[in-house]
Amino acid sequence: MDAAKQPISRLLMVGPPGSGKGTQAAFLSEALGVPAVSTGEMLRSAVAARSALGERVESIMQSGALVDDETMAQVVQQRLGEADAQSGFLLDGYPRNLGQAETLAGILERLETQLDIVLVLDVPEEELIRRALARKRDDDKVEVIRERLSVYKNKTEPLIDYYRDRGILSMVDGFQAVDSVTAALLGEIRKVGQV
């Protein structure tokens, strides 16, 4: 690898519910030495900071409403501007749609950085349903799971073409053993780092 080449350290993980994003994000975060930054973690951190933004987030969450895109963008910008994210980060759960992807591009531009790679976990729908049902949560009924997958397909899946067009997308087969998925993800990251 070229000594002048920066290590791959600004990643985005995309995949449908049940694809193993959270599990893999934790493994990659540790392997790469960068924070795994999930939507939930960002919102909890904002609330814990007791800032004006955090209080706004808390009031939205307590009302049961979804955090709007503008507020979410402010939370993301604040989180990615923190010291531990300066040398890299792994985003999980944001962006969820094309509008948020454009917003993220603007945030990264203001922070004078950009994504190195977007990793997509590809898992067949029937396996996603099987995994969700195996969790045995009260809200994990087949029709609810199919609705979540439909929302992903309509809102989040278009991100695949968006990032493919930018030349930073890597698809990984998520329908294999957990350690095999981790190895495949690290293999994709290594490939990009050697370009």
Side-chain angles (χ1 to χ4, degrees), residues 10-190:
R10 289 168 181 83
L11 306 93
L12 167 62
M13 188 163 294
V14 177
S19 60
K21 285 191 316 294
T23 299
Q24 294 299 331
F27 290 145
L28 292 181
S29 166
E30 190 169 325
L32 300 170
V34 298
V37 181
S38 71
T39 306
E41 182 268 337
M42 282 188 278
L43 294 172
R44 286 188 295 275
S45 293
V47 170
R50 306 302 320 153
S51 63
L53 176 60
E55 288 177 10
R56 187 160 82 242
V57 168
E58 185 173 36
S59 120
I60 293 168
M61 288 167 63
Q62 284 178 344
S63 76
L66 290 174
V67 176
D68 59 278
D69 282 358
E70 185 182 332
T71 302
M72 196 64 221
Q74 292 173 352
V75 169
V76 171
Q77 180 159 334
Q78 178 179 301
R79 179 64 184 93
L80 296 185
E82 290 177 13
D84 70 333
Q86 296 311 296
S87 60
F89 52 81
L90 192 158
L91 275 172
D92 167 18
Y94 185 92
R96 288 185 189 266
N97 57 51
L98 291 174
Q100 290 181 352
E102 293 288 355
T103 300
L104 177 61
I107 290 169
L108 294 174
E109 193 174 310
R110 283 190 292 282
L111 294 172
E112 298 179 358
T113 191
Q114 60 187 0
L115 290 172
D116 295 317
I117 188 170
V118 176
L119 299 162
V120 179
L121 287 176
D122 189 30
V123 179
E125 184 168 313
E126 291 311 308
E127 172 63 10
L128 295 169
I129 292 168
R130 189 196 66 72
R131 288 179 185 182
L133 291 173
R135 295 186 306 197
K136 294 184 167 48
R137 291 185 188 166
D138 289 344
D139 64 336
D140 282 339
K141 309 272 188 282
V142 172
E143 59 277 9
V144 174
I145 296 162
R146 285 197 192 279
E147 178 57 28
R148 283 189 210 129
L149 294 174
S150 173
V151 169
Y152 170 82
K153 192 175 236 6
N154 294 326
K155 302 274 189 198
T156 307
E157 217 170 65
L159 294 176
I160 293 172
D161 287 336
Y162 176 88
Y163 287 115
R164 183 180 287 125
D165 291 347
R166 281 149 185 78
I168 59 171
L169 186 90
S170 288
M171 299 285 288
V172 171
D173 179 6
F175 189 30
Q176 49 186 332
V178 173
D179 55 348
S180 298
V181 176
T182 306
L185 290 166
L186 289 170
E188 291 300 310
I189 293 165
R190 274 193 292 277

